[in-house]
Amino acid sequence: MPVETKVPGAYPEGKKAEDPQTGDEKIISEVRNLKEAYILYSPLTNMPYVECEEENYNDQIRLYQKKTEAEEAGKELEEKGIRTAVRELKTVEVQVPVNPDRPDGEKKRLYLNQVRQQLSTLPFMGVNAVCYKPERRKAQSLELAGLLPEDYEKKINGNGMYQPNLQLTGLYLMQEARRKKEYVDRKNLQALDEEFSSNLVRAKLFLAVLPPAGQEKEQKIDLKRCQLPYLKHQNGDTFFPVFTDLWEFQKYVQGKKNLRPIQVPFPEVGKFWVKDAKAYMVNPMGFSLPVTREMIPRILEKFGVGEKPDQASKEE
């Protein structure tokens, strides 16, 4: 009597044998192994262009295999008053110290895949999907969870050093606010402003401080003796930099080794001030959103969070 046997990987009768990978798995594998690609970048925020995907409402960036197709997409957005630029991501050779404690010592050669590097930064921005357009094929929205190591997003979302929702709402706000005037949707802009502000009042922002000479590496520092850095705009205006998260702080302090981060609840930010500053500048290396000192109590009052900050200033 014949015995029915089940062969692993066999297909039901009438089905054609195909690659074991599903279509989704193939495209995910393709993105993971890209050595070069092109991303739509927003000069309005100094960050990748972010949009809300229409079907599942994922927050996504656009990634292209071919430069000309990325450029075509940029032209379509330009017709809607949205300025973007095409940025190349590739694999580059870098030289790093063999011994991290001896940065000027012997170097070793490594290869940095900028596509993977870019994907790894997306959870910090609150982005949870990538719209990938292979050459001459249909674009497909892929959830970031399938492209990154397991639990990577969860670890960032659960870390108090990062505030993805604040980053994301700031990006959407500034993308809309800096569109060509005739294309700005005032009703949408107001809604985005309120969403960002509601996240801001509950946030803890990072400030950069410069400890007194000789105390740069001490665990505890006296804030009253610290100096506060400031930004000088090309038009002469002075701004006080503040940051949504440790990632933005680290982008700012590159080459400024002695600056230290302190995290301050938003209602207390008004206690810190740089003399003659025009406003705070949230994420100066990112979406660069100015917030005047006078706006802080008004925002707190509107959203009913905490009490108005102490107006005592800390001036450099």
Side-chain angles (χ1 to χ4, degrees):
M1 180 176 180
V3 177
E4 181 183 6
T5 59
K6 294 184 178 180
V7 181
Y11 286 81
E13 186 176 353
K15 291 270 186 171
K16 182 180 179 182
E18 297 176 347
D19 189 301
Q21 286 187 320
T22 65
D24 285 349
E25 289 172 340
K26 284 182 179 180
I27 199 74
I28 287 172
S29 178
E30 182 176 328
V31 173
R32 282 178 170 176
N33 291 289
L34 285 170
K35 290 183 170 57
E36 62 178 21
Y38 300 87
I39 191 172
L40 284 189
Y41 201 79
S42 173
L44 308 177
T45 64
N46 300 312
M47 301 278 272
Y49 171 69
V50 181
E51 64 185 1
C52 183
E53 182 258 330
E54 295 180 355
E55 184 175 347
N56 298 309
Y57 302 103
N58 286 323
D59 301 295
Q60 66 182 18
I61 60 134
R62 294 197 192 185
L63 185 70
Y64 297 81
Q65 188 176 29
K66 192 173 181 181
K67 184 178 182 179
T68 55
E69 293 184 344
E71 292 172 337
E72 289 170 5
K75 290 177 182 177
E76 292 176 2
L77 290 172
E78 182 73 28
E79 293 174 358
K80 301 176 183 179
I82 302 171
R83 288 188 289 124
T84 59
V86 175
R87 178 164 291 190
E88 181 182 17
L89 304 175
K90 56 186 179 180
T91 302
V92 296
E93 181 182 312
V94 294
Q95 299 286 334
V96 300
V98 173
N99 185 344
D101 296 329
R102 298 178 58 190
D104 298 327
E106 183 183 356
K107 300 290 194 299
K108 61 181 177 181
R109 181 170 57 188
L110 294 178
Y111 292 92
L112 174 65
N113 185 315
Q114 294 177 337
V115 180
R116 294 179 185 174
Q117 182 187 44
Q118 184 69 77
L119 294 177
S120 71
T121 67
L122 297 181
F124 298 107
M125 301 163 48
V127 170
N128 69 329
V130 174
C131 181
Y132 174 57
K133 175 69 173 66
E135 182 178 0
R136 290 181 291 183
R137 284 180 284 159
K138 185 178 178 181
Q140 186 171 340
S141 184
L142 305 169
E143 292 194 7
L144 205 57
L147 298 172
L148 295 175
E150 188 177 358
D151 291 336
Y152 183 82
E153 288 179 281
K154 186 177 180 180
K155 289 177 182 178
I156 292 173
N157 290 328
N159 189 328
M161 299 292 103
Y162 307 104
Q163 300 176 105
N165 283 341
L166 186 59
Q167 268 272 24
L168 184 65
T169 52
L171 288 170
Y172 276 131
L173 172 61
M174 300 315 291
Q175 283 182 178
E176 182 65 31
R178 291 170 179 159
R179 289 176 72 175
K180 293 180 180 179
K181 290 183 179 180
E182 60 269 30
Y183 292 95
V184 174
D185 183 334
R186 296 294 173 184
K187 186 175 182 181
N188 184 42
L189 182 62
Q190 183 178 358
L192 292 171
D193 182 48
E194 292 201 359
E195 187 175 7
F196 173 75
S197 297
S198 68
N199 286 326
L200 182 63
V201 295
R202 295 170 176 82
K204 291 183 178 180
L205 298 182
F206 282 90
L207 280 62
V209 299
L210 180 63
Q215 296 186 20
E216 292 87 356
K217 296 184 179 181
E218 291 187 14
Q219 188 172 0
K220 293 185 178 181
I221 54 176
D222 183 357
L223 291 179
K224 293 181 180 179
R225 297 181 59 200
C226 291
Q227 291 181 299
L228 300 174
Y230 61 88
L231 298 167
K232 199 78 170 181
H233 194 272
Q234 58 186 10
N235 66 5
D237 289 338
T238 299
F239 294 93
F240 182 9
V242 295
F243 312 91
T244 57
D245 50 56
L246 193 59
W247 180 50
E248 287 291 337
F249 171 83
Q250 290 169 337
K251 288 196 290 185
Y252 171 77
V253 300
Q254 287 186 2
K256 310 178 183 74
K257 296 181 180 180
N258 292 331
L259 288 178
R260 297 267 295 274
I262 61 169
Q263 198 172 20
V264 179
F266 178 73
E268 298 180 17
V269 168
K271 298 177 180 179
F272 300 85
W273 189 243
V274 173
K275 185 178 181 180
D276 298 327
K278 185 175 182 179
Y280 297 94
M281 185 62 74
V282 185
N283 291 356
M285 309 303 290
F287 52 64
S288 301
L289 192 156
V291 176
T292 66
R293 202 179 186 197
E294 294 74 24
M295 288 171 62
I296 293 178
R298 293 202 298 267
I299 294 173
L300 290 171
E301 184 176 1
K302 180 176 181 178
F303 290 93
V305 178
E307 297 183 6
K308 296 180 182 181
D310 187 346
Q311 294 300 310
S313 64
K314 181 181 179 70
E315 299 181 351
E316 183 176 351

